[in-house]
């Protein structure tokens, strides 16, 4: 199976060179993506492919259930590099319907180590329990929490020092919340875009 992957890689590289001679030399020079994508680790949601972008056009961070936590140094480091070094113009948090992590967070099963990660989703679920309890269908309840979580991750990004510093310096940067449907391959905008300090509560604004 591993040899098959290596063979696929050679075929893919050959096709890329045929379509765009010099493509890989361009990539080695510098990466200049305009977008940071924060998505779920789910293998059915390949970031570049679902938005039709080539290598070098999308800076990507993925984790279970596409969470943005201020205690996650991995995610915060990606955010810092994307904003301050790559100077991306757009940060996209993209969740997906039917997310296994979200579904697990709504349950009560002991899953081990991952329970510490899912706790953040449980907190969102508890905060919006009236909205979720109104959904009598379990799948719809999961999907609703998927949307609510994306919205929360968007605000978490905007409450970060790196993003606020970028806005104060005049860097044009917008944070978006999207959600992807595995059933039909279509992305839905959640209309929660934030592009300035004026769009967030004053209590979260930092003096820098």
């Amino acid at each position: 199976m591993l040899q098959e992957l290596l063979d696929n890689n050679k075929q893919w590289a050959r096709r890329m060179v045929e379509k765009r001679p010099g493509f890989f030399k361009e990539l080695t020079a510098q990466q200049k993506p305009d977008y940071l994508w924060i998505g779920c680790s789910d293998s059915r949601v390949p970031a570049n492919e679902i938005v039709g972008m080539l290598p070098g056009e999308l800076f990507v961070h993925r984790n279970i259930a596409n969470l943005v936590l201020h205690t996650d140094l991995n995610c915060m480091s990606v955010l810092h590099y994307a904003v301050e070094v790559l100077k991306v113009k757009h940060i996209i948090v993209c969740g997906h319907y039917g997310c296994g992590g979200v579904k697990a967070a709504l349950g009560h099963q002991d899953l081990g180590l991952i329970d510490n990660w899912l706790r953040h989703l449980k907190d969102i679920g508890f905060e919006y329990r009236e909205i979720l309890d109104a959904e009598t269908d379990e799948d719809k309840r999961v999907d609703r929490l998927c949307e609510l979580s994306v919205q929360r991750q968007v605000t978490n990004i905007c409450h970060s020092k790196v993003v606020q510093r970028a806005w104060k310096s005049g860097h044009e940067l917008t944070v978006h919340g999207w959600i992807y449907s595995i059933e039909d391959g279509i992305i839905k905008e959640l209309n929660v875009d934030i592009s300035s300090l004026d769009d967030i509560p004053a209590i979260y604004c930092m003096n820098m």
Side-chain angles (χ1 to χ4, degrees):
M1 290 181 65
L2 292 180
Q3 186 57 50
E4 181 181 354
L5 297 181
L6 295 171
D7 291 341
N8 289 345
N9 166 252
K10 291 183 177 67
Q11 294 173 20
W12 170 78
R14 192 179 305 115
R15 288 195 302 269
M16 290 301 300
V17 172
E18 291 173 353
K19 292 179 181 178
R20 291 183 56 176
F23 174 72
F24 291 107
K25 288 185 177 180
E26 294 175 12
L27 282 184
T28 57
Q30 187 177 2
Q31 63 169 335
K32 296 181 179 179
D34 287 328
Y35 312 92
L36 166 61
W37 176 282
I38 299 177
C40 183
S41 299
D42 194 302
S43 61
R44 300 167 296 175
V45 192
N48 285 69
E49 291 186 36
I50 64 176
V51 290
M53 286 193 162
L54 294 171
E57 297 179 329
L58 201 65
F59 194 58
V60 177
H61 174 76
R62 297 170 70 179
N63 60 49
I64 294 174
N66 45 270
L67 298 183
V68 178
L69 309 177
H70 292 90
T71 53
D72 180 1
L73 295 182
N74 186 353
C75 185
M76 289 296 104
S77 297
V78 168
L79 183 63
H80 179 274
Y81 188 79
V83 174
E84 297 204 358
V85 179
L86 298 178
K87 305 295 184 183
V88 298
K89 297 180 177 65
H90 301 274
I91 299 173
I92 301 163
V93 180
C94 186
H96 67 95
Y97 290 125
C99 179
V102 173
K103 185 173 183 178
L106 285 173
H108 304 282
Q109 186 177 357
D110 182 353
L111 299 173
L113 180 63
I114 196 174
D115 287 332
N116 298 285
W117 187 259
L118 299 180
R119 165 65 187 274
H120 301 283
L121 285 166
K122 285 183 177 292
D123 290 342
I124 300 171
F126 181 74
E127 181 178 346
Y128 292 100
R129 58 192 178 279
E130 293 183 4
I131 293 175
L132 297 175
D133 289 344
E135 295 285 359
T136 56
D137 182 83
E138 181 180 353
D139 291 337
K140 289 182 179 179
R141 190 181 306 117
V142 170
D143 289 348
R144 188 71 182 100
L145 183 53
C146 289
E147 294 177 341
L148 292 168
S149 176
V150 168
Q151 294 175 32
R152 175 58 53 82
Q153 310 321 313
V154 166
T155 59
N156 285 347
I157 290 172
C158 296
H159 297 167
S160 70
K161 183 180 292 185
V162 64
V163 168
Q164 293 190 24
R165 185 186 295 116
W167 283 332
K168 286 190 175 184
S169 68
H171 181 171
E172 292 186 11
L173 178 66
T174 304
V175 185
H176 312 267
W178 293 358
I179 194 152
Y180 174 74
S181 172
I182 294 174
E183 291 186 356
D184 59 17
I186 301 299
I187 293 172
K188 172 185 174 182
E189 292 184 87
L190 295 179
N191 299 315
V192 291
D193 297 3
I194 300 177
S195 56
S196 75
L197 287 169
D198 295 334
D199 297 329
I200 63 176
I203 192 172
Y204 293 107
C205 294
M206 302 178 188
N207 292 322
M208 290 177 286

